[in-house]
PDB file of all heavy atoms in Angstrom:
ATOM      1  N   PHE A  80      -2.560 -27.454 -38.292  1.00  0.00           N
ATOM      2  CA  PHE A  80      -2.419 -28.819 -37.841  1.00  0.00           C
ATOM      3  C   PHE A  80      -1.109 -29.350 -38.504  1.00  0.00           C
ATOM      4  O   PHE A  80      -1.033 -29.408 -39.724  1.00  0.00           O
ATOM      5  CB  PHE A  80      -3.558 -29.688 -38.269  1.00  0.00           C
ATOM      6  CG  PHE A  80      -4.916 -29.199 -37.673  1.00  0.00           C
ATOM      7  CD1 PHE A  80      -5.764 -28.429 -38.401  1.00  0.00           C
ATOM      8  CD2 PHE A  80      -5.304 -29.583 -36.400  1.00  0.00           C
ATOM      9  CE1 PHE A  80      -6.931 -27.965 -37.872  1.00  0.00           C
ATOM     10  CE2 PHE A  80      -6.506 -29.151 -35.871  1.00  0.00           C
ATOM     11  CZ  PHE A  80      -7.363 -28.315 -36.636  1.00  0.00           C
ATOM     12  N   THR A  81      -0.130 -29.723 -37.670  1.00  0.00           N
ATOM     13  CA  THR A  81       1.222 -30.008 -38.194  1.00  0.00           C
ATOM     14  C   THR A  81       1.458 -31.456 -38.515  1.00  0.00           C
ATOM     15  O   THR A  81       2.405 -31.791 -39.214  1.00  0.00           O
ATOM     16  CB  THR A  81       2.278 -29.549 -37.160  1.00  0.00           C
ATOM     17  OG1 THR A  81       2.034 -30.213 -35.923  1.00  0.00           O
ATOM     18  CG2 THR A  81       2.194 -28.096 -36.944  1.00  0.00           C
ATOM     19  N   ARG A  82       0.581 -32.382 -38.096  1.00  0.00           N
ATOM     20  CA  ARG A  82       0.786 -33.805 -38.382  1.00  0.00           C
ATOM     21  C   ARG A  82      -0.529 -34.352 -38.970  1.00  0.00           C
ATOM     22  O   ARG A  82      -1.417 -34.821 -38.164  1.00  0.00           O
ATOM     23  CB  ARG A  82       1.228 -34.570 -37.135  1.00  0.00           C
ATOM     24  CG  ARG A  82       2.625 -34.298 -36.689  1.00  0.00           C
ATOM     25  CD  ARG A  82       2.995 -35.043 -35.423  1.00  0.00           C
ATOM     26  NE  ARG A  82       2.731 -36.463 -35.554  1.00  0.00           N
ATOM     27  CZ  ARG A  82       3.501 -37.333 -36.122  1.00  0.00           C
ATOM     28  NH1 ARG A  82       4.658 -36.922 -36.704  1.00  0.00           N
ATOM     29  NH2 ARG A  82       3.257 -38.605 -36.194  1.00  0.00           N
ATOM     30  N   VAL A  83      -0.665 -34.313 -40.238  1.00  0.00           N
ATOM     31  CA  VAL A  83      -1.873 -34.753 -40.965  1.00  0.00           C
ATOM     32  C   VAL A  83      -1.519 -35.736 -42.027  1.00  0.00           C
ATOM     33  O   VAL A  83      -0.612 -35.514 -42.837  1.00  0.00           O
ATOM     34  CB  VAL A  83      -2.626 -33.497 -41.511  1.00  0.00           C
ATOM     35  CG1 VAL A  83      -3.857 -33.989 -42.306  1.00  0.00           C
ATOM     36  CG2 VAL A  83      -2.930 -32.490 -40.456  1.00  0.00           C
ATOM     37  N   ASP A  84      -2.239 -36.862 -42.041  1.00  0.00           N
ATOM     38  CA  ASP A  84      -2.023 -37.843 -43.069  1.00  0.00           C
ATOM     39  C   ASP A  84      -2.568 -37.364 -44.403  1.00  0.00           C
ATOM     40  O   ASP A  84      -3.583 -36.610 -44.453  1.00  0.00           O
ATOM     41  CB  ASP A  84      -2.751 -39.153 -42.722  1.00  0.00           C
ATOM     42  CG  ASP A  84      -2.147 -39.816 -41.470  1.00  0.00           C
ATOM     43  OD1 ASP A  84      -0.958 -39.673 -41.264  1.00  0.00           O
ATOM     44  OD2 ASP A  84      -2.957 -40.503 -40.725  1.00  0.00           O
ATOM     45  N   PRO A  85      -1.935 -37.748 -45.507  1.00  0.00           N
ATOM     46  CA  PRO A  85      -2.531 -37.339 -46.828  1.00  0.00           C
ATOM     47  C   PRO A  85      -3.936 -37.914 -46.997  1.00  0.00           C
ATOM     48  O   PRO A  85      -4.295 -38.970 -46.480  1.00  0.00           O
ATOM     49  CB  PRO A  85      -1.551 -38.046 -47.790  1.00  0.00           C
ATOM     50  CG  PRO A  85      -0.267 -38.231 -47.062  1.00  0.00           C
ATOM     51  CD  PRO A  85      -0.738 -38.469 -45.572  1.00  0.00           C
ATOM     52  N   GLY A  86      -4.759 -37.123 -47.683  1.00  0.00           N
ATOM     53  CA  GLY A  86      -6.164 -37.544 -47.897  1.00  0.00           C
ATOM     54  C   GLY A  86      -7.090 -36.331 -48.021  1.00  0.00           C
ATOM     55  O   GLY A  86      -6.669 -35.177 -48.043  1.00  0.00           O
ATOM     56  N   ASP A  87      -8.370 -36.578 -48.052  1.00  0.00           N
ATOM     57  CA  ASP A  87      -9.405 -35.571 -48.140  1.00  0.00           C
ATOM     58  C   ASP A  87      -9.972 -35.256 -46.787  1.00  0.00           C
ATOM     59  O   ASP A  87     -10.277 -36.135 -45.971  1.00  0.00           O
ATOM     60  CB  ASP A  87     -10.482 -36.006 -49.145  1.00  0.00           C
ATOM     61  CG  ASP A  87      -9.971 -36.181 -50.511  1.00  0.00           C
ATOM     62  OD1 ASP A  87      -9.173 -35.273 -50.977  1.00  0.00           O
ATOM     63  OD2 ASP A  87     -10.332 -37.186 -51.207  1.00  0.00           O
ATOM     64  N   TYR A  88     -10.217 -33.970 -46.500  1.00  0.00           N
ATOM     65  CA  TYR A  88     -10.748 -33.561 -45.245  1.00  0.00           C
ATOM     66  C   TYR A  88     -11.887 -32.598 -45.446  1.00  0.00           C
ATOM     67  O   TYR A  88     -11.925 -31.814 -46.420  1.00  0.00           O
ATOM     68  CB  TYR A  88      -9.657 -32.848 -44.399  1.00  0.00           C
ATOM     69  CG  TYR A  88      -8.602 -33.810 -43.979  1.00  0.00           C
ATOM     70  CD1 TYR A  88      -7.472 -34.055 -44.812  1.00  0.00           C
ATOM     71  CD2 TYR A  88      -8.617 -34.379 -42.737  1.00  0.00           C
ATOM     72  CE1 TYR A  88      -6.502 -34.930 -44.453  1.00  0.00           C
ATOM     73  CE2 TYR A  88      -7.593 -35.272 -42.328  1.00  0.00           C
ATOM     74  CZ  TYR A  88      -6.540 -35.536 -43.180  1.00  0.00           C
ATOM     75  OH  TYR A  88      -5.580 -36.357 -42.739  1.00  0.00           O
ATOM     76  N   THR A  89     -12.819 -32.628 -44.461  1.00  0.00           N
ATOM     77  CA  THR A  89     -13.891 -31.626 -44.343  1.00  0.00           C
ATOM     78  C   THR A  89     -13.686 -30.871 -43.006  1.00  0.00           C
ATOM     79  O   THR A  89     -13.540 -31.471 -41.979  1.00  0.00           O
ATOM     80  CB  THR A  89     -15.268 -32.318 -44.334  1.00  0.00           C
ATOM     81  OG1 THR A  89     -15.421 -32.977 -45.610  1.00  0.00           O
ATOM     82  CG2 THR A  89     -16.375 -31.301 -44.217  1.00  0.00           C
ATOM     83  N   LEU A  90     -13.742 -29.564 -43.063  1.00  0.00           N
ATOM     84  CA  LEU A  90     -13.537 -28.705 -41.902  1.00  0.00           C
ATOM     85  C   LEU A  90     -14.837 -27.915 -41.669  1.00  0.00           C
ATOM     86  O   LEU A  90     -15.399 -27.270 -42.560  1.00  0.00           O
ATOM     87  CB  LEU A  90     -12.388 -27.750 -42.092  1.00  0.00           C
ATOM     88  CG  LEU A  90     -11.012 -28.384 -42.256  1.00  0.00           C
ATOM     89  CD1 LEU A  90     -10.776 -28.746 -43.741  1.00  0.00           C
ATOM     90  CD2 LEU A  90      -9.912 -27.407 -41.857  1.00  0.00           C
ATOM     91  N   GLU A  91     -15.314 -27.956 -40.404  1.00  0.00           N
ATOM     92  CA  GLU A  91     -16.485 -27.234 -39.998  1.00  0.00           C
ATOM     93  C   GLU A  91     -16.118 -26.320 -38.814  1.00  0.00           C
ATOM     94  O   GLU A  91     -15.607 -26.720 -37.845  1.00  0.00           O
ATOM     95  CB  GLU A  91     -17.596 -28.244 -39.541  1.00  0.00           C
ATOM     96  CG  GLU A  91     -18.052 -29.191 -40.666  1.00  0.00           C
ATOM     97  CD  GLU A  91     -19.134 -30.119 -40.154  1.00  0.00           C
ATOM     98  OE1 GLU A  91     -19.423 -30.157 -38.960  1.00  0.00           O
ATOM     99  OE2 GLU A  91     -19.651 -30.887 -40.995  1.00  0.00           O
ATOM    100  N   VAL A  92     -16.449 -25.027 -39.040  1.00  0.00           N
ATOM    101  CA  VAL A  92     -16.087 -23.996 -38.045  1.00  0.00           C
ATOM    102  C   VAL A  92     -17.337 -23.381 -37.438  1.00  0.00           C
ATOM    103  O   VAL A  92     -18.312 -23.112 -38.173  1.00  0.00           O
ATOM    104  CB  VAL A  92     -15.268 -22.845 -38.703  1.00  0.00           C
ATOM    105  CG1 VAL A  92     -15.038 -21.751 -37.717  1.00  0.00           C
ATOM    106  CG2 VAL A  92     -13.967 -23.411 -39.200  1.00  0.00           C
ATOM    107  N   THR A  93     -17.381 -23.222 -36.118  1.00  0.00           N
ATOM    108  CA  THR A  93     -18.451 -22.532 -35.439  1.00  0.00           C
ATOM    109  C   THR A  93     -17.823 -21.430 -34.591  1.00  0.00           C
ATOM    110  O   THR A  93     -16.755 -21.596 -34.027  1.00  0.00           O
ATOM    111  CB  THR A  93     -19.260 -23.514 -34.555  1.00  0.00           C
ATOM    112  OG1 THR A  93     -18.331 -24.093 -33.590  1.00  0.00           O
ATOM    113  CG2 THR A  93     -19.942 -24.554 -35.348  1.00  0.00           C
ATOM    114  N   SER A  94     -18.504 -20.285 -34.470  1.00  0.00           N
ATOM    115  CA  SER A  94     -18.094 -19.198 -33.690  1.00  0.00           C
ATOM    116  C   SER A  94     -19.272 -18.242 -33.515  1.00  0.00           C
ATOM    117  O   SER A  94     -20.366 -18.435 -34.120  1.00  0.00           O
ATOM    118  CB  SER A  94     -16.911 -18.455 -34.353  1.00  0.00           C
ATOM    119  OG  SER A  94     -17.430 -17.617 -35.427  1.00  0.00           O
ATOM    120  N   THR A  95     -19.086 -17.189 -32.660  1.00  0.00           N
ATOM    121  CA  THR A  95     -20.116 -16.170 -32.498  1.00  0.00           C
ATOM    122  C   THR A  95     -20.339 -15.354 -33.761  1.00  0.00           C
ATOM    123  O   THR A  95     -21.314 -14.752 -33.967  1.00  0.00           O
ATOM    124  CB  THR A  95     -19.751 -15.267 -31.298  1.00  0.00           C
ATOM    125  OG1 THR A  95     -18.451 -14.700 -31.552  1.00  0.00           O
ATOM    126  CG2 THR A  95     -19.747 -16.079 -30.028  1.00  0.00           C
ATOM    127  N   ASP A  96     -19.307 -15.361 -34.653  1.00  0.00           N
ATOM    128  CA  ASP A  96     -19.430 -14.633 -35.889  1.00  0.00           C
ATOM    129  C   ASP A  96     -20.194 -15.357 -36.985  1.00  0.00           C
ATOM    130  O   ASP A  96     -20.558 -14.787 -38.017  1.00  0.00           O
ATOM    131  CB  ASP A  96     -18.053 -14.257 -36.498  1.00  0.00           C
ATOM    132  CG  ASP A  96     -17.293 -13.258 -35.594  1.00  0.00           C
ATOM    133  OD1 ASP A  96     -17.937 -12.483 -34.869  1.00  0.00           O
ATOM    134  OD2 ASP A  96     -16.071 -13.186 -35.703  1.00  0.00           O
ATOM    135  N   GLY A  97     -20.423 -16.682 -36.774  1.00  0.00           N
ATOM    136  CA  GLY A  97     -21.127 -17.505 -37.743  1.00  0.00           C
ATOM    137  C   GLY A  97     -20.559 -18.900 -37.875  1.00  0.00           C
ATOM    138  O   GLY A  97     -19.836 -19.333 -37.027  1.00  0.00           O
ATOM    139  N   THR A  98     -20.995 -19.562 -38.907  1.00  0.00           N
ATOM    140  CA  THR A  98     -20.546 -20.892 -39.167  1.00  0.00           C
ATOM    141  C   THR A  98     -19.939 -21.018 -40.596  1.00  0.00           C
ATOM    142  O   THR A  98     -20.359 -20.207 -41.494  1.00  0.00           O
ATOM    143  CB  THR A  98     -21.640 -21.892 -39.025  1.00  0.00           C
ATOM    144  OG1 THR A  98     -22.720 -21.559 -39.899  1.00  0.00           O
ATOM    145  CG2 THR A  98     -22.189 -21.874 -37.635  1.00  0.00           C
ATOM    146  N   GLY A  99     -19.060 -21.956 -40.791  1.00  0.00           N
ATOM    147  CA  GLY A  99     -18.517 -22.127 -42.129  1.00  0.00           C
ATOM    148  C   GLY A  99     -18.035 -23.549 -42.326  1.00  0.00           C
ATOM    149  O   GLY A  99     -17.810 -24.348 -41.356  1.00  0.00           O
ATOM    150  N   LYS A 100     -17.940 -23.979 -43.590  1.00  0.00           N
ATOM    151  CA  LYS A 100     -17.486 -25.353 -43.997  1.00  0.00           C
ATOM    152  C   LYS A 100     -16.633 -25.284 -45.205  1.00  0.00           C
ATOM    153  O   LYS A 100     -16.912 -24.531 -46.102  1.00  0.00           O
ATOM    154  CB  LYS A 100     -18.781 -26.189 -44.164  1.00  0.00           C
ATOM    155  CG  LYS A 100     -18.486 -27.634 -44.346  1.00  0.00           C
ATOM    156  CD  LYS A 100     -19.830 -28.435 -44.433  1.00  0.00           C
ATOM    157  CE  LYS A 100     -19.601 -29.862 -44.626  1.00  0.00           C
ATOM    158  NZ  LYS A 100     -20.922 -30.651 -44.671  1.00  0.00           N
ATOM    159  N   ALA A 101     -15.653 -26.168 -45.295  1.00  0.00           N
ATOM    160  CA  ALA A 101     -14.824 -26.220 -46.439  1.00  0.00           C
ATOM    161  C   ALA A 101     -14.174 -27.593 -46.565  1.00  0.00           C
ATOM    162  O   ALA A 101     -14.104 -28.321 -45.619  1.00  0.00           O
ATOM    163  CB  ALA A 101     -13.647 -25.204 -46.334  1.00  0.00           C
ATOM    164  N   SER A 102     -13.816 -27.967 -47.793  1.00  0.00           N
ATOM    165  CA  SER A 102     -13.186 -29.217 -48.074  1.00  0.00           C
ATOM    166  C   SER A 102     -11.764 -28.943 -48.589  1.00  0.00           C
ATOM    167  O   SER A 102     -11.558 -27.941 -49.329  1.00  0.00           O
ATOM    168  CB  SER A 102     -13.961 -30.008 -49.116  1.00  0.00           C
ATOM    169  OG  SER A 102     -15.242 -30.349 -48.619  1.00  0.00           O
ATOM    170  N   VAL A 103     -10.812 -29.851 -48.303  1.00  0.00           N
ATOM    171  CA  VAL A 103      -9.453 -29.630 -48.792  1.00  0.00           C
ATOM    172  C   VAL A 103      -8.745 -30.979 -48.941  1.00  0.00           C
ATOM    173  O   VAL A 103      -9.088 -31.943 -48.198  1.00  0.00           O
ATOM    174  CB  VAL A 103      -8.640 -28.750 -47.731  1.00  0.00           C
ATOM    175  CG1 VAL A 103      -8.572 -29.459 -46.383  1.00  0.00           C
ATOM    176  CG2 VAL A 103      -7.255 -28.425 -48.249  1.00  0.00           C
ATOM    177  N   HIS A 104      -7.848 -31.052 -49.910  1.00  0.00           N
ATOM    178  CA  HIS A 104      -7.090 -32.260 -50.123  1.00  0.00           C
ATOM    179  C   HIS A 104      -5.688 -32.032 -49.687  1.00  0.00           C
ATOM    180  O   HIS A 104      -5.031 -31.030 -50.028  1.00  0.00           O
ATOM    181  CB  HIS A 104      -7.066 -32.624 -51.617  1.00  0.00           C
ATOM    182  CG  HIS A 104      -6.203 -33.853 -51.954  1.00  0.00           C
ATOM    183  ND1 HIS A 104      -6.586 -35.146 -51.633  1.00  0.00           N
ATOM    184  CD2 HIS A 104      -4.980 -33.923 -52.467  1.00  0.00           C
ATOM    185  CE1 HIS A 104      -5.678 -35.963 -52.005  1.00  0.00           C
ATOM    186  NE2 HIS A 104      -4.653 -35.302 -52.539  1.00  0.00           N
ATOM    187  N   VAL A 105      -5.120 -32.987 -48.905  1.00  0.00           N
ATOM    188  CA  VAL A 105      -3.796 -32.898 -48.380  1.00  0.00           C
ATOM    189  C   VAL A 105      -2.932 -33.935 -49.140  1.00  0.00           C
ATOM    190  O   VAL A 105      -3.278 -35.140 -49.088  1.00  0.00           O
ATOM    191  CB  VAL A 105      -3.726 -33.178 -46.869  1.00  0.00           C
ATOM    192  CG1 VAL A 105      -2.299 -33.150 -46.373  1.00  0.00           C
ATOM    193  CG2 VAL A 105      -4.583 -32.084 -46.110  1.00  0.00           C
TER     194      VAL A 105
END
Side-chain angles (χ1 to χ4, degrees):
F80 299 96
T81 56
R82 288 179 53 81
V83 178
D84 294 330
D87 295 316
Y88 292 86
T89 298
L90 297 84
E91 299 178 353
V92 174
T93 58
S94 77
T95 55
D96 291 338
T98 58
K100 186 175 182 179
S102 298
V103 62
H104 177 74
V105 177

